[in-house]
Amino acid sequence: MMDSSGYGLLQYLQKLSDEEFQRFKEHLRKEPEKFKLKPISWTKIKNTSKEDLVMQLYTHYPGKAWDMVLSLFLQVNREDLSTMAQTERRDKQTKYKEFMKNTFQHIWTMETNTYIPDRSYHEFIEVQYRALQDIFDCESEPVTVVVSGSRGGGKTTFLRKAMLDWASRNLLQNRFQYVFYFSVFSLNNITELSLAELISSTLPESSETVDDILSDPKRILFILDGFDYLKFDLELRTNLCNDWRKKLPIQIVLSSLLQKIMLPECSLLLELGNASLSNIIPLLQYPREIIMSGFSEQTIEIYCVSFFNTQTGVEIFKNLKSIKPLFNLCRCPHLCWMICSTIKWQYERREVASRFGRTLGLLYTIFMVSAFKSTYARNPSKQNRARIRTLCTLAVEGMWKQVYVFDSDDLRRNGISESDKKVWLRMKFLQNQGSNIVFYHSTLQWYFAVLFYFLQYKDTRHPVIGNLAQLLGEIYAHKQNQWFHTRILLFGMATEQVNSLLEPCFGCISSKEVRQEIIRYIKSLSQQECNEKLVVHPQNLFFCILDNQEERFVRQLMDRFEEMTVDISDVDDMSATPYCLHRAPKVKNLHLHIQKRVFLEIHDPEYGDLELFKLDQKCSFTTNFGDGLLFCTFLHLPHLKYMNLYGTNLSNDAVERLCSALKFSTCGVEELLLGKCDISSEACGIIAASLINSEVKHLSLVENPLKNKGVMSLCEMLKDPSCVLESLMLSYCCLTFIACGHLYEALLSNEHLSLLDLGSNFLEDTGVNLLCEALKDPNCTLKELWLDMCDFTSDCCEDLALVLTTCNTLKSLNLDWNAFDHSGLEMLCKALNHKACNLEVLGLDKSLFSEESQTLLQAVEKKNKNLKVLHFPWLKEELEKRGVRLKLLEVERAGIGFPGTVVTGNNELPGMKSLPPESTRSTGGTVTSLV
């Protein structure tokens, strides 16, 4: 029997006579060619019934069945059926829009709280709203759009408004016939479902069938929100399905829809918070992004005036603006509502306004206590404790069960009476959602769930609710999205200030015990991570610490770790990191990864309002280090000895900040690697001046356009008696023989320099001869000299040979990739055999020489057992000293690192032409280490 969903098309075929139906089928043989589709074989349709033909049309031509049928009606002279069908379909689509308009008008009025007039709200979302229209108006093909932003930033409100405006015929009318809105977290407790069943659940009576609706998927938009609250992980899958009628595990249905396996021609509009963004983005095809950037100053003023009366609102706005940390919190719409609500309750009770502070834990507590006092101020604390505990139990049970919508049975089971419910609704702790109840905002559920542990620290026996140790385990052992705010609030509420607010209302609070449990858990975590290493995204720990800010507690936590890996992906991460690192005195190894996007956000606040996602942002190696403010943090770390910024673009301002930090008395950096940082000759002068009285012993400036002018500044530094530099790396620095004239004087006056790298510079014979003159001087102490690929000839060999027999300190000489004839090589070999020659390593590629010359070199090596003639003589050491990090090296060092270009694709590092491409792949970033 045919599925009932096909009756929409069937009812019109039933109106054809037998003769008309036969002609209909004959025309159907050629109709698919117009749509560039494969025709159904005549044997399958010749004697088929009308019911079976409908099924074949839907099966073979999904999305085109109605277009074909309407065209065929005209070809069999039944224009009346074509007109009737189109009219009825439009009527049913209109009825759906009316139904959605009424539904979302109720949601907008009763369940969405903007507290500003609609006209003002439109001004607030003008940029994002216009972006949404532009994306869908410009694109005729299916589009996936992501609405992102911080929690409480208005993403869901924006999508509800978009749905209401579409249903009210004010948005995207020419693009979509149907728009479906689903909160995906409502599917948490459903195991299996088909997409057809999900769509049917939203349809009013007398709607089109699902087959008819999905017959033109290009005209369909799915709006999905609530991914942060899914209790299951969505991931790239191979077991996906394209059958929207098939009942499947809900994860497969959602993944198939997101990955464009199911209904690939439909469009998607998704709400993704910070917690779900990184998990969902890899599933999507070329998503476009719209960022909800929060309230502007003007919007906050409008909000205050709308929330209070005009005069009071203006006064409160001015007061808020004068308190910068509090005013910044108001940029988040949800927090702005909380702050204004709290002030309103305090005004009504004629209380002196509480000091809000800077942390979320404190803000939520002030809000909750102010609301509670508005009704129960005179009740004894024991009674208040019992009453609030019922709400906390509901919240924490929902958290552990991952339930966000509650029915009357849930409330009764947790001891919440009808009268209590009315009070919680009035206080804006809860709100109605249809016939069910939800917390006024999801973060309020987290707050009351965490408060449960401060009220009942010792007694948490419950079949569903875990104890505090188990909660900490869930927070840090798993990646479920919903735990993010829980950990922030847990740390933020574990303060004496929060304790002093709660105890007068609710009696004894277990803040001290909670802090001790957190310390115990972090201690066990550091031990599990082997030798007290910590791999951390700032959201995992740093944001938690920032929301606590009790010095003793913070230092007890940060004192646990000697090694950290920190991933900075946005400006918030950047702001949290310095505070925590300043309180980590034992950190010896720090790996720091900063995404390129961070600096774009710093320099252009509007960046990201509308963009195409780049999934490999962390692998877009070259980055800009912004204005260098983080240097002050890193260079204050007492154990920092090694800093490598290879591949990080440094502006002159950033270089100045770096050099200022290097002058700190607490700075103990001994190895500074600034390769490929786009350092100019002027910036090189700033660096040189800062190193005169520093402890830096190793400096790499490779692959920077320093030119001769920059080297002149470095030579002035080397001639200063206070300079303790022992090795200087200057390969690929655009130097000529003129630079060698400056280096000549420096080499004669510096007692510490033992390694000089001048590889891959255009020194020519003149420059090399000048260096040889310096090396022959008894005052010169250089032990290693790297002159690979310096474009000099055999004419230098006489001077080089004399250096080998007169310079007692020279142990290593790299002459790789330079052209010598046999006579020049003979002079070198004669010197190498001399008893006064102390050279141990000579860099030469023997395979490039003639057979006669190779025999000569082999004879030298046989006679001088202490000498090695090698191609790439110090490959591992050379790249490490220059700061270049390649996967094949497996270098032991580790530390602070910034994404930088090493070798990408088939690019070759100059001087490594014999290495296969796969052996020079980049690790995706550079590393610095603290020794």
Side-chain angles (χ1 to χ4, degrees):
M1 185 177 177
M2 190 183 72
D3 190 292
S4 61
S5 63
Y7 281 126
L9 190 57
L10 177 62
Q11 64 175 327
Y12 294 100
L13 288 185
Q14 297 283 23
K15 297 180 185 296
L16 293 174
S17 67
D18 291 343
E19 186 270 332
E20 288 170 335
F21 183 54
Q22 189 61 32
R23 284 193 290 125
F24 183 97
K25 289 190 288 185
E26 289 173 357
H27 285 295
L28 179 59
R29 297 172 67 179
K30 294 185 177 180
E31 189 67 19
E33 295 176 5
K34 298 178 182 178
F35 297 88
K36 299 182 179 179
L37 297 171
K38 187 178 179 181
I40 306 172
S41 68
W42 177 244
T43 55
K44 288 186 177 181
I45 61 174
K46 182 178 181 180
N47 297 314
T48 190
S49 67
K50 293 174 181 177
E51 290 86 350
D52 288 341
L53 184 61
V54 169
M55 290 305 296
Q56 289 192 56
L57 287 171
Y58 278 130
T59 301
H60 286 83
Y61 309 123
K64 298 296 181 183
W66 265 106
D67 291 337
M68 284 188 180
V69 169
L70 293 174
S71 173
L72 289 168
F73 281 158
L74 297 176
Q75 294 176 52
V76 298
N77 297 320
R78 290 303 304 267
E79 185 177 347
D80 60 318
L81 289 181
S82 178
T83 303
M84 187 189 307
Q86 291 182 68
T87 301
E88 187 171 349
R89 290 193 74 192
R90 279 196 298 269
D91 289 344
K92 289 182 176 181
Q93 291 165 8
T94 300
K95 287 178 181 178
Y96 174 76
K97 282 187 179 179
E98 284 298 320
F99 179 76
M100 285 294 120
K101 178 182 176 182
N102 293 333
T103 300
F104 275 84
Q105 187 64 60
H106 175 82
I107 290 172
W108 184 257
T109 305
M110 305 303 295
E111 300 176 13
T112 308
N113 307 291
T114 61
Y115 285 104
I116 54 177
D118 278 2
R119 186 179 66 180
S120 299
Y121 178 73
H122 268 291
E123 291 175 3
F124 162 56
I125 62 167
E126 182 181 2
V127 173
Q128 292 82 2
Y129 201 82
R130 187 171 62 249
L132 184 67
Q133 290 177 304
D134 289 345
I135 290 171
F136 286 115
D137 286 345
C138 295
E139 299 280 353
S140 58
E141 295 302 310
V143 182
T144 297
V145 179
V146 168
V147 178
S148 66
S150 59
R151 198 183 301 264
K155 301 184 296 297
T156 295
T157 303
F158 176 74
L159 294 185
R160 287 177 175 179
K161 190 70 172 82
M163 182 67 186
L164 176 59
D165 284 355
W166 173 82
S168 303
R169 298 177 176 82
N170 296 323
L171 179 68
L172 305 177
Q173 291 304 293
N174 297 326
R175 181 66 195 272
F176 298 114
Q177 290 175 341
Y178 282 93
V179 178
F180 298 104
Y181 192 115
F182 299 109
S183 294
V184 294
F185 66 79
S186 64
L187 307 175
N188 272 343
N189 296 317
I190 298 175
T191 19
E192 287 191 334
L193 187 75
S194 70
L195 184 60
E197 290 173 325
L198 185 60
I199 291 172
S200 297
S201 68
T202 68
L203 297 176
E205 293 182 7
S206 70
S207 293
E208 285 193 283
T209 65
V210 175
D211 275 296
D212 290 343
I213 291 170
L214 299 183
S215 65
D216 192 2
K218 279 190 176 181
R219 305 294 302 277
I220 293 172
L221 172 66
F222 288 96
I223 301 179
L224 306 176
D225 78 349
F227 285 95
D228 276 13
Y229 307 107
L230 280 178
K231 72 176 182 181
F232 47 80
D233 286 330
L234 296 177
E235 54 191 22
L236 282 169
R237 299 174 186 272
T238 55
N239 59 335
L240 301 177
C241 180
N242 62 0
D243 187 351
W244 46 265
R245 299 180 182 89
K246 190 172 182 180
K247 202 166 188 172
L248 297 163
I250 193 62
Q251 299 98 309
I252 302 298
V253 174
L254 288 177
S255 292
S256 299
L257 188 62
L258 293 176
Q259 291 179 230
K260 293 292 185 177
I261 302 300
M262 192 178 287
L263 295 180
E265 293 180 298
C266 74
S267 291
L268 303 174
L269 178 57
L270 313 176
E271 177 268 325
L272 297 180
N274 292 336
S276 57
L277 194 67
S278 60
N279 295 330
I280 303 299
I281 286 297
L283 310 183
L284 309 178
Q285 294 182 12
Y286 309 108
R288 304 292 295 274
E289 183 184 21
I290 297 174
I291 297 178
M292 301 304 295
S293 52
F295 280 171
S296 65
E297 181 177 320
Q298 183 182 5
T299 309
I300 297 172
E301 183 174 10
I302 294 170
Y303 192 95
C304 291
V305 170
S306 302
F307 196 93
F308 304 92
N309 62 50
T310 302
Q311 185 177 351
T312 306
V314 170
E315 181 184 338
I316 287 172
F317 170 75
K318 290 179 179 178
N319 289 337
L320 288 173
K321 191 177 178 182
S322 67
I323 310 170
K324 188 174 180 179
L326 193 59
F327 192 71
N328 287 337
L329 290 176
C330 287
R331 296 189 184 279
C332 171
H334 170 62
L335 296 182
C336 190
W337 165 78
M338 284 185 62
I339 291 168
C340 288
S341 297
T342 304
I343 294 171
K344 189 172 184 180
W345 281 316
Q346 292 174 350
Y347 263 60
E348 288 172 354
R349 289 180 50 78
R350 292 181 172 82
E351 289 183 350
V352 177
S354 300
R355 297 190 64 183
F356 280 91
R358 302 184 179 190
T359 70
L360 289 178
L362 185 57
L363 176 60
Y364 276 81
T365 301
I366 294 171
F367 164 79
M368 188 276 291
V369 170
S370 298
F372 200 86
K373 283 182 177 180
S374 68
T375 301
Y376 299 119
R378 297 183 180 180
N379 286 18
S381 61
K382 187 175 182 180
Q383 188 176 340
N384 287 344
R385 189 185 189 94
R387 181 172 281 111
I388 200 71
R389 193 163 55 192
T390 62
L391 190 61
C392 292
T393 307
L394 177 72
V396 76
E397 181 186 274
M399 182 184 74
W400 281 96
K401 292 168 67 176
Q402 296 173 32
V403 172
Y404 311 101
V405 181
F406 305 95
D407 57 27
S408 54
D409 289 338
D410 295 321
L411 270 62
R412 278 195 299 269
R413 186 177 61 256
N414 287 287
I416 298 176
S417 65
E418 275 298 314
S419 60
D420 283 339
K421 184 179 85 168
K422 290 178 181 177
V423 174
W424 302 144
L425 288 169
R426 189 173 68 249
M427 290 183 183
K428 302 295 193 292
F429 292 170
L430 301 177
Q431 70 173 348
N432 291 306
Q433 189 177 83
S435 59
N436 295 315
I437 289 290
V438 295
F439 279 85
Y440 201 75
H441 191 271
S442 58
T443 50
L444 274 176
Q445 181 173 348
W446 307 138
Y447 175 80
F448 285 109
V450 171
L451 182 58
F452 171 87
Y453 291 96
F454 288 86
L455 296 173
Q456 290 188 219
Y457 173 74
K458 293 181 181 178
D459 182 19
T460 54
R461 289 171 293 179
H462 191 282
V464 174
I465 302 170
N467 60 33
L468 183 56
Q470 291 169 321
L471 175 65
L472 286 163
E474 289 292 330
I475 287 173
Y476 285 102
H478 303 292
K479 294 183 179 178
Q480 275 109 341
N481 301 326
Q482 65 269 17
W483 299 112
F484 169 66
H485 262 332
T486 309
R487 58 176 170 250
I488 294 284
L489 289 167
L490 181 65
F491 278 66
M493 292 165 65
T495 67
E496 290 302 322
Q497 196 170 3
V498 168
N499 196 76
S500 66
L501 287 168
L502 291 173
E503 284 198 340
C505 266
F506 306 109
C508 183
I509 302 297
S510 304
S511 298
K512 183 178 179 182
E513 291 80 0
V514 170
R515 286 196 296 271
Q516 290 172 344
E517 188 67 50
I518 292 172
I519 291 169
R520 274 195 295 271
Y521 182 79
I522 296 297
K523 181 179 180 181
S524 70
L525 182 68
S526 67
Q527 291 170 345
Q528 292 167 18
E529 288 288 339
C530 305
N531 300 323
E532 299 182 338
K533 297 180 181 179
L534 177 65
V535 178
V536 61
H537 187 285
Q539 289 185 349
N540 292 342
L541 181 62
F542 288 1
F543 284 176
C544 300
I545 287 173
L546 202 61
D547 208 60
N548 182 278
Q549 295 193 24
E550 288 201 345
E551 283 293 321
R552 187 168 179 271
F553 175 64
V554 171
R555 290 187 183 276
Q556 281 180 302
L557 290 175
M558 296 306 296
D559 208 35
R560 309 304 319 166
F561 302 103
E562 296 182 0
E563 181 167 343
M564 288 185 183
T565 298
V566 181
D567 180 14
I568 295 182
S569 58
D570 57 35
V571 175
D572 290 338
D573 295 346
M574 181 78 91
S575 63
T577 299
Y579 176 86
C580 297
L581 291 181
H582 271 306
R583 289 152 181 83
K586 292 187 178 178
V587 170
K588 295 182 179 178
N589 294 280
L590 174 63
H591 306 256
L592 182 66
H593 305 137
I594 305 181
Q595 291 190 23
K596 181 178 181 180
R597 171 182 183 138
V598 176
F599 303 107
L600 292 172
E601 289 177 355
I602 290 172
H603 291 297
D604 183 3
E606 297 299 319
Y607 169 78
D609 277 348
L610 173 62
E611 67 163 341
L612 184 68
F613 269 108
K614 297 176 182 176
L615 301 185
D616 291 327
Q617 283 177 327
K618 272 188 70 176
C619 297
S620 61
F621 305 101
T622 304
T623 189
N624 187 300
F625 195 55
D627 57 10
L629 285 170
L630 279 180
F631 288 134
C632 294
T633 297
F634 303 144
L635 296 177
H636 268 303
L637 293 173
H639 296 282
L640 181 63
K641 301 296 181 185
Y642 176 104
M643 177 174 264
N644 185 353
L645 303 181
Y646 181 92
T648 306
N649 293 336
L650 296 177
S651 65
N652 281 355
D653 287 343
V655 169
E656 286 186 4
R657 288 186 184 275
L658 169 64
C659 293
S660 295
L662 286 169
K663 296 175 182 177
F664 295 154
S665 59
T666 54
C667 178
V669 170
E670 295 180 358
E671 297 182 62
L672 182 62
L673 293 88
L674 303 176
K676 203 168 187 176
C677 290
D678 199 27
I679 293 173
S680 63
S681 53
E682 290 77 13
C684 183
I686 299 171
I687 293 169
S690 70
L691 297 184
I692 289 177
N693 292 302
S694 75
E695 296 184 27
V696 175
K697 297 177 181 178
H698 175 78
L699 176 64
S700 172
L701 292 170
V702 302
E703 300 176 62
N704 286 301
L706 305 183
K707 301 183 180 178
N708 300 324
K709 183 179 178 182
V711 170
M712 182 170 66
S713 301
L714 292 172
C715 290
E716 291 302 312
M717 168 193 73
L718 289 170
K719 288 188 283 186
D720 192 290
S722 303
C723 177
V724 296
L725 202 67
E726 296 176 358
S727 51
L728 178 60
M729 318 301 291
L730 297 174
S731 60
Y732 301 98
C733 286
C734 306
L735 309 183
T736 70
F737 69 90
I738 295 173
C740 296
H742 300 302
L743 286 166
Y744 170 85
E745 298 177 13
L747 290 174
L748 295 182
S749 57
N750 188 286
E751 298 179 358
H752 302 286
L753 194 68
S754 60
L755 167 60
L756 179 61
D757 170 22
L758 296 172
S760 302
N761 286 296
F762 196 62
L763 304 185
E764 302 178 282
D765 294 347
T766 305
V768 173
N769 288 334
L770 282 168
L771 294 173
C772 289
E773 288 302 312
L775 290 169
K776 287 184 284 186
D777 193 289
N779 294 320
C780 181
T781 59
L782 175 58
K783 295 178 182 178
E784 296 181 57
L785 180 62
W786 298 358
L787 297 174
D788 47 303
M789 205 180 293
C790 284
D791 202 42
F792 56 90
T793 67
S794 297
D795 292 343
C796 295
C797 288
E798 184 176 354
D799 275 338
L800 286 170
L802 191 57
V803 166
L804 293 175
T805 58
T806 56
C807 184
N808 297 326
T809 58
L810 190 64
K811 302 295 183 184
S812 301
L813 179 63
N814 190 357
L815 303 178
D816 242 338
W817 299 104
N818 290 293
F820 301 132
D821 56 26
H822 183 71
S823 60
L825 194 63
E826 275 186 319
M827 285 188 278
L828 290 177
C829 289
K830 184 177 180 181
L832 290 169
N833 283 326
H834 196 281
K835 62 180 180 180
C837 178
N838 293 322
L839 201 69
E840 297 174 358
V841 179
L842 175 64
L844 276 181
D845 184 0
K846 290 180 283 190
S847 66
L848 297 179
F849 293 94
S850 65
E851 187 175 339
E852 182 183 10
S853 296
Q854 289 185 44
T855 302
L856 188 61
L857 287 168
Q858 289 166 1
V860 169
E861 285 185 284
K862 189 174 182 180
K863 182 178 180 181
N864 188 343
K865 301 295 183 183
N866 295 323
L867 177 67
K868 294 180 180 178
V869 181
L870 303 170
H871 183 39
F872 297 128
W874 315 281
L875 179 59
K876 179 176 176 178
E877 179 189 12
E878 175 183 336
L879 294 176
E880 184 180 358
K881 285 183 176 296
R882 288 175 175 173
V884 182
R885 308 302 293 262
L886 301 182
K887 189 178 271 188
L888 83 156
L889 296 181
E890 298 179 359
V891 180
E892 297 293 337
R893 288 191 185 278
I896 303 173
F898 303 89
T901 303
V902 185
V903 179
T904 59
N906 290 324
N907 293 341
E908 293 177 334
L909 190 69
M912 295 184 64
K913 295 182 181 177
S914 64
L915 292 177
E918 61 269 20
S919 67
T920 59
R921 286 182 185 152
S922 164
T923 60
T926 59
V927 188
T928 62
S929 84
L930 305 86
V931 183

